[in-house]
Amino acid sequence: NRELSVQNRLIISINHLRDIVKQAFIAAEDKRFYHHPGIDVFGIARAFIKNQIKGRIVGGGSTITQQLARDLFLTPSRTYGRKLKEAVLAFQIEKHYTKDEILNLYANQVFLGHGKYGWEAAAQFYFGKQAKNLALGEAALLAGLTSSPNRYSPYVDPEAALSRRSYVLERMLDEGYITEEEARTASETPLELRQRGHGHTFAPYF
């Protein structure tokens, strides 16, 4: 089949997913997701210090809710003005939606590389399976893509992808989502990717 689209997306409900899929993204991106009101003060403080050291904006400490606000309503430009708008929108989103509803929106919106948006489209593109069937290591790899999909794509740089997978597994271990044995087994599992020939876009220059 050939597809012509700007965003390749397959809508899912997180209620049908294993907990490890949700936990992988929360551990990687926003460990206090279920406890903050839309922004994470500690995360912002860490990002501010890092930005001051680098002399430029290299990270914003964005929560999952802020990332959703940015992806839905704003641009990815790294400016303090955008960060302020992002925070205001995050508060509004948290006022009108439950945490699980926000996570569900995020699961279908986040960009994970190669024109794939959302956990389902990415799971099928990278692993040839539905998101509900992802193994721990596969979920961790997808979660690791969020911060820089092009850089950590296993098709672009397998070593970077595996390193990022290990980072996510460590975060999941720290949060008590998995055991040391589960983390070790997942980190030692070789990459088994879907062949790139399945899922290329037709006429990508558009």
Side-chain angles (χ1 to χ4, degrees):
N1 294 333
R2 290 179 170 179
E3 298 179 358
L4 181 63
S5 60
V6 176
Q7 297 185 356
N8 188 305
R9 190 192 316 274
L10 298 170
I11 305 300
I12 58 169
S13 169
I14 62 171
N15 294 329
H16 300 150
L17 302 180
R18 299 173 62 194
D19 286 341
I20 59 166
V21 180
K22 295 175 281 187
Q23 291 165 349
F25 280 87
I26 290 173
E29 292 297 311
D30 187 2
K31 67 178 183 179
R32 282 183 280 272
F33 172 68
Y34 280 102
H35 305 289
H36 62 63
I39 65 171
D40 184 352
V41 176
F42 296 104
I44 291 175
R46 286 196 305 271
F48 179 78
I49 294 172
K50 183 184 296 184
N51 293 338
Q52 292 303 305
I53 294 174
K54 295 290 186 178
R56 57 191 175 88
I57 300 178
V58 296
S62 293
T63 64
I64 282 175
T65 313
Q66 286 176 272
Q67 292 178 42
L68 179 63
R70 178 196 64 209
D71 292 344
L72 288 175
F73 306 113
L74 303 172
T75 69
S77 61
R78 290 183 172 182
T79 65
Y80 287 112
R82 193 218 74 196
K83 295 298 298 181
L84 179 60
K85 294 177 182 177
E86 188 179 276
V88 172
L89 287 169
F91 278 125
Q92 292 300 313
I93 290 172
E94 293 268 353
K95 284 174 59 178
H96 293 90
Y97 296 93
T98 67
K99 288 290 187 178
D100 284 343
E101 288 173 334
I102 292 170
L103 188 61
N104 204 104
L105 289 168
Y106 175 81
N108 289 294
Q109 184 67 31
V110 63
F111 176 58
L112 293 171
H114 302 282
K116 309 306 174 187
Y117 288 77
W119 300 353
E120 182 67 15
Q124 294 192 22
F125 175 72
Y126 290 107
F127 304 112
K129 60 173 65 175
Q130 294 179 293
K132 66 180 181 180
N133 296 323
L134 289 174
L136 172 59
E138 294 166 340
L141 189 143
L142 287 191
L145 294 173
T146 308
S147 63
S148 184
N150 295 325
R151 176 182 177 186
Y152 295 120
S153 166
Y155 291 128
V156 174
D157 191 337
E159 290 187 7
L162 289 175
S163 176
R164 187 66 178 171
R165 180 182 71 174
S166 295
Y167 164 78
V168 176
L169 290 169
E170 289 176 4
R171 297 295 310 122
M172 295 179 74
L173 178 60
D174 290 342
E175 294 304 311
Y177 293 141
I178 58 177
T179 66
E180 289 187 12
E181 182 178 354
E182 289 172 327
R184 182 173 59 255
T185 299
S187 65
E188 293 174 353
T189 302
L191 274 177
E192 294 185 6
L193 300 173
R194 184 183 187 183
Q195 293 298 312
R196 284 294 302 276
H198 303 282
H200 271 310
T201 54
F202 174 60
Y205 47 84
F206 280 108

